[in-house]
């Protein structure tokens, strides 16, 4: 059952160089997650505790999972991912057992980065959600908090959680010693969108006439995941025209298609 719900990667392929437009967030994650793993003595000499847990929050598809994977990659840590929704179980004790398994797995494979996506599924305020009123969901969250309370901030296990619904979270998980470092991951601005376009077209055969600056301007409101879809869709237009090079018109056609809501490209990169 473990293997079905947990994603365990010895070394994720994502690096910091694959992440565009959120340099400040990369810096903060490195400071809060990477440094305690690679230079614990820094914290010892200064005499402070590193953050216990890091919470990434912001809209979908902006690079939160990528950040967690990249930090695992760059520190040679095992990446262990679980979705909060997977922890919401039907039978009494199942959710908390999965939380115990998660931490046990991390201890067996340390250094490890535990990533809990959709943390709001188990950590919403009672008034905000039907499921959180559920005693079983409460127990699962209590188990998570007790695992976190019992672990050494200077050890070789780091924990990152993510949510799109920061406003829903129960304050209990944000207390010191728990998720006590908050990092907002926003939608990319124009310069960020240009960087992300350049990243996702690195391996594509794009013409010199492709105007990334203009595309960045035209994609206001797009997330990183949507920019990735745009690039793939542009490539599909090239294939349909029996070309192997991707032109600026292909990008414009792709943009039109996406804006009309007709794109079939569903992002499954998670
Ligand atoms: P969710 O909240 O829905 O889980 P997320 O913030 O975790 O989303 P990711 O899974 O990290 O989003 O991103 C999905 C895909 O979108 C990535 O695999 C990547 O291809 C692309 N992407 C998202 N943000 C960025 C970014 N900042 N730079 C480059 N690519 C990005």
């Amino acid at each position: 059952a473990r293997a079905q719900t947990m994603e365990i990667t010895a070394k994720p392929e994502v690096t910091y160089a694959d992440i565009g437009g959120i340099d400040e967030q990369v810096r903060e994650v490195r400071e809060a997650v990477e440094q305690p793993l690679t230079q614990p003595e820094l914290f010892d000499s200064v005499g402070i505790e590193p953050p216990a847990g890091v919470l990434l929050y912001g809209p979908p598809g902006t690079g939160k999972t990528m950040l967690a994977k990249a930090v695992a990659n760059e520190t040679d840590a095992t990446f262990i991912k679980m979705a909060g929704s997977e922890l919401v179980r039907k039978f009494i004790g199942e959710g908390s057992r999965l939380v115990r398994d998660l931490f046990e797995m991390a201890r067996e494979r340390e250094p490890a980065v535990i990533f809990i996506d959709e943390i709001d599924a188990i950590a919403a305020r009672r008034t905000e959600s039907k499921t959180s009123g559920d005693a079983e969901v409460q127990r699962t969250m209590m188990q998570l908090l007790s695992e976190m309370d019992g672990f050494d901030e200077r050890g070789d296990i780091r924990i990152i959680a993510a949510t799109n619904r920061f406003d829903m979270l129960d304050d209990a998980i944000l207390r010191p010693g728990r998720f006590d470092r908050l990092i907002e991951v926003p939608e990319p601005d124009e310069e960020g969108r240009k960087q992300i376009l350049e990243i996702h077209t690195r391996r594509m055969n794009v013409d010199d006439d492709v105007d990334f600056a203009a595309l960045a301007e035209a994609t206001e409101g797009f997330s990183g995941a949507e920019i990735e879809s745009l690039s793939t869709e542009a490539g599909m237009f090239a294939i349909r025209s029996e070309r192997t090079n991707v032109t600026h018109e292909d990008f414009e056609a792709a943009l039109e298609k996406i804006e009309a809501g007709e794109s079939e490209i569903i992002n499954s990169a998670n």
Side-chain angles (χ1 to χ4, degrees):
R2 269 182 169 188
Q4 285 166 1
T5 46
M6 260 183 238
E7 173 190 325
I8 301 168
T9 318
K11 190 170 167 82
E13 283 179 2
V14 181
T15 68
Y16 298 132
D18 298 323
I19 306 177
I22 48 173
D23 295 350
E24 181 60 18
Q25 286 74 8
V26 169
R27 193 190 63 71
E28 286 182 54
V29 166
R30 295 188 68 170
E31 195 180 280
V33 185
E34 184 179 319
Q35 280 190 23
L37 279 174
T38 57
Q39 299 167 276
E41 67 284 355
L42 262 181
F43 294 86
D44 287 336
S45 359
V46 178
I48 54 168
E49 294 296 330
V54 171
L55 179 74
L56 305 175
Y57 67 98
T62 47
K64 297 183 290 300
T65 306
M66 288 183 96
L67 277 167
K69 284 187 172 165
V71 82
N73 173 325
E74 310 260 355
T75 56
D76 293 314
T78 310
F79 177 76
I80 306 177
K81 174 181 163 176
M82 184 169 265
S85 55
E86 297 273 9
L87 292 169
V88 178
R89 291 300 169 122
K90 225 162 112 193
F91 297 107
I92 292 177
E94 253 192 302
S96 29
R97 205 207 61 228
L98 280 169
V99 170
R100 274 198 302 276
D101 283 354
L102 188 63
F103 281 80
E104 193 186 308
M105 184 64 81
R107 282 189 289 269
E108 283 167 12
R109 315 243 168 151
E110 58 181 30
V113 171
I114 296 178
F115 179 63
I116 305 179
D117 202 3
E118 307 167 39
I119 186 87
D120 47 278
I122 56 159
R125 273 192 301 270
R126 279 167 196 267
T127 49
E128 299 288 339
S129 134
K130 252 203 223 129
T131 50
S132 69
D134 189 316
E136 174 57 9
V137 171
Q138 287 293 320
R139 263 194 292 275
T140 303
M141 177 167 121
M142 294 313 291
Q143 183 65 37
L144 173 64
L145 296 182
S146 96
E147 293 283 352
M148 290 185 76
D149 289 346
F151 95 19
D152 178 6
E153 279 98 6
R154 301 177 190 212
D156 278 341
I157 300 173
R158 309 298 302 158
I159 170 156
I160 303 176
T163 183
N164 304 321
R165 297 301 314 273
F166 181 70
D167 56 306
M168 272 182 39
L169 296 183
D170 191 320
D171 293 339
I173 76 155
L174 305 177
R175 289 196 195 122
R178 294 169 174 177
F179 293 96
D180 50 11
R181 179 64 71 91
L182 309 179
I183 302 176
E184 183 176 10
V185 185
E187 245 164 28
D189 62 10
E190 194 172 316
E191 179 52 34
R193 294 195 298 276
K194 182 159 169 277
Q195 281 178 27
I196 297 171
L197 269 165
E198 281 163 356
I199 289 168
H200 284 287
T201 51
R202 269 194 312 226
R203 278 188 292 274
M204 280 170 68
N205 183 16
V206 291
D207 277 5
D208 289 341
D209 81 327
V210 174
D211 185 347
F212 290 117
L215 291 169
E217 201 185 329
T219 47
E220 168 99 64
F222 276 47
S223 67
E226 287 164 335
I227 291 171
E228 183 187 16
S229 305
L230 174 72
S231 308
T232 308
E233 191 72 83
M236 294 302 298
F237 274 98
I239 289 175
R240 269 177 225 127
S241 312
E242 297 178 359
R243 276 183 282 103
T244 54
N245 59 312
V246 187
T247 65
H248 190 75
E249 281 75 62
D250 292 330
F251 277 93
E252 287 193 327
L255 196 56
E256 226 168 86
K257 188 168 176 179
I258 288 173
E259 281 172 343
E262 287 161 5
S263 173
E264 297 88 38
I265 294 171
I266 313 260
N267 221 291
S268 58
N270 275 359

